[in-house]
Amino acid sequence: MIMKLILILTFSFVISVVPAQVSSSQPQPLAVPLTLIQGADSKGAVCLDGTLPGYHFHPGFGSGANNWLVNLEGGGWCNDIRSCVFRKTTRLGSSKYMDKQVTFTGILSNKAEENPDFFNWNRVKVLYCDGASFAGDSQNKAANLQFRGQKIWQAAIEELMSKGMKNAKQALLSGCSAGGLATIIHCDEFGSLFPKSTKVKCFSDAGFFLDATDVSGGRTLRKMFGGVVSLQEVQKNLPKSCLDHLDPTSCFFPENLIDHIQTPLFLLNAAYDGWQLYESLTPSTADPHGYWNACKLNQTKCNSTQIEFLQKFRNQMLNDIKKFSTASQSGLYINSCFTHGQSERQDTWFASDSPLLNNTRIANAVGNWFFDRQVVKAIDCPYPCDKTCHSLFTK
C-alpha cells in the first residue's frame, strides 16, 4: 500500500509540474507564498499529523477585485492506517512539508494572455492535507492521525469570508483530481454561503471518478474509496439525498452526486482519464504480468481488445453524465485525451497549441459557461479522432 500511495502522489506531482508553454518569451509564473490558518487547530481543523492547514492567496485587482476563485488542491487519497501514516510525512499530510511558495498557472494565472476570464480575480489555492477530499471527520489516536478534511474546508472558507469573500459579486469553486471530487462534494455548501445576488458556480477538473470494473474484473477504485470513507468517516459529510438510497462508498462517486447538486456545475474530464487508466483500470494488482504496460505508455500500441475496453470506459462515463448533461445550468467539456488535470497546466488551459473541442480552448469554454455567453455541452468523438490532445506520456 505504501508503494501504491507513492505512485499516486508521484503521478499527481508529475501532472502538476508540466512546464507551461505559453509563448516564446516564457514569462515567469506568479509565485505566491504560503499562509497557514492561525487558530484552525482550536476548531479541530488540522492536517493528518495535527499541523495547521494552509492556502496560497493572490488578491484580485481592477474589475476582478470583488470576484473570488477558490481552488481545492488534489493529490490522491489514503485509505488505510499505513498509507495515511506515510502520507503525513509528505506535503499532502502535513504543513511541515508544504512548499513555502507555489506558482500560479492556468486558471490561477494573473496574466490575461494566460487566463482571459479569471486573471484579475482573488485566486486561492486551498492546500490538501487530509487525504479524503476535504470530507473526513474522525481520528485514530493509536496512529496519531487526524482525519479533519471537513473542518479544514470550513476553516479555510471562514478565513476567506473574513478576507472579503463574503462580499463577492461572483465566485467560482474549482479543483483538480481529488480536489475536483471535493468541489463536487462541497459545491452546494459553497453556493449556500452567498446571497442570491452573487453569481456562484463550481468547476470540477478530472474529478469524475467512475465506479468502474478493472481489467481483471475487480473493483479497484471502489475498494480504495471504501477504505477512505470508512477510515475517515466521510459519510458524515455526504449528502442525505444520496445516502437515503445508496451506501456511503457509492455516495463518494460523483456519478451518484451530480444529479442532486443545485449550484451550477461544470465537468472537465478526459474521456480516457490517465489517472483512472493507471490506478483504477489497470493497476499492477489487476495486471500482474504487465499486459497493459505498452498500451498505457503509448495508446498507438493498444491492441483492438484494449481499445474496446477503453471505449467501454468512455461509454460508461457518457452514460453516467447523461441526465446531468440535460440540466440547463450544467457545463461539459469531455475531450478524448489520455490525461488527467487540464485547468492548472498552462499548456492545456490556454496556450497557442492547447486542446480544442468544437474549436474552443478549455479556458474559453469555462469562461463562456460561467458568464453565460454560451451553452457549453462539449463531448468529443471517440479516440483517436482528436489530434489536439496533450497526453501524459505521448502527444
Side-chain angles (χ1 to χ4, degrees), residues 166-226:
K166 64 182 178 183
N167 300 316
K169 292 182 178 178
Q170 300 181 106
L172 178 63
L173 179 66
S174 75
C176 176
S177 190
L181 173 56
T183 296
I184 293 170
I185 291 171
H186 291 296
C187 183
D188 277 342
E189 193 176 346
F190 186 72
S192 70
L193 297 169
F194 303 95
K196 290 185 177 179
S197 58
T198 303
K199 180 190 282 284
V200 186
K201 298 188 178 185
C202 305
F203 165 50
S204 172
D205 174 14
F208 201 79
F209 296 94
L210 272 61
D211 189 1
T213 303
D214 63 39
V215 294
S216 71
R219 305 294 280 274
T220 297
L221 190 55
R222 169 166 276 274
K223 183 178 179 182
M224 179 192 290
F225 274 11

